[in-house]
Amino acid sequence: MKLTLAFTDPDACRHELSGGKGANLALLTQRGFPVPVGFIVTAAAYREFILSAETLHSRVAAFDYADAARLQAQGTQLRAEIEQMPLPAALEASVRQQLAAFADDAAFSVRSSSTFEDLASAAFAGQHDTYLNIHGADAILERIRACFASLWQDRA
C-alpha cells in the first residue's frame, strides 16, 4: 500500500487512490502539461490515519443532527481531536522521503482531494481546507493532518 505517490507515478492517475484533484494533476503532469511538481498523499494514508480514531464511527452516529448548534459544536470538538492525533509513522516517513527531492526552501500547497471529487456526477470543490505557501516538512505534515480533519468541517 502506497501512502504517497509522485505526480509521475502511473498509479497517481487513479481517482480512488489520489482523489479528483490529485489524479488530474498527475494526468496533466504525465501528459506533459506545465504543472508544478508535487506528490499525493493517498486515500490509503487517510484510512490508516483514521483507524486510530477508534470511537469515530460511534461518535458520529451519536451526533445530534436535529440541533444545528449542537451538531456544529460536536463537529468542532471532533476536528480538534483529529488534529491532535499523530500521523502514522510510515506516512510521516513517506512524506519526508518525497520532500527530500525538493529544495529546503520550496513552498507547497497542501490541499484535500476527495475520491468523490471531480466526478461526472459529483463535485465537492471548496468543502475541504487548502493551505498555500507552506514551507518545511513539519509544517506540511501539520497541514496534512488539518486537511484530514477538514473532512469533518460543517460545510463538508
Side-chain angles (χ1 to χ4, degrees), residues 63-129:
F63 276 6
D64 187 352
Y65 295 99
D67 182 339
R70 181 158 164 68
L71 179 60
Q72 185 176 27
Q74 289 171 314
T76 299
Q77 177 63 34
L78 181 66
R79 282 190 310 281
E81 291 175 23
I82 289 172
E83 287 183 7
Q84 296 305 309
M85 291 169 36
L87 291 172
L91 173 57
E92 185 172 331
S94 187
V95 168
R96 289 183 187 279
Q97 181 180 13
Q98 291 281 356
L99 291 171
F102 298 94
D104 289 340
D105 63 347
F108 288 85
S109 297
V110 182
R111 308 180 70 186
S112 63
S113 184
S114 170
T115 56
F116 290 104
E117 184 174 44
D118 297 338
L119 300 176
S121 61
F124 299 98
Q127 292 186 359
H128 306 289
D129 290 345

Side-chain angles (χ1 to χ4, degrees), residues 35-85:
V35 174
V37 293
F39 62 95
I40 295 158
V41 175
T42 65
Y46 173 78
R47 285 191 295 274
E48 186 165 317
F49 168 75
I50 209 66
L51 280 175
S52 64
E54 298 167 352
T55 64
L56 177 72
H57 294 294
S58 61
R59 291 184 59 206
V60 172
F63 276 6
D64 187 352
Y65 295 99
D67 182 339
R70 181 158 164 68
L71 179 60
Q72 185 176 27
Q74 289 171 314
T76 299
Q77 177 63 34
L78 181 66
R79 282 190 310 281
E81 291 175 23
I82 289 172
E83 287 183 7
Q84 296 305 309
M85 291 169 36

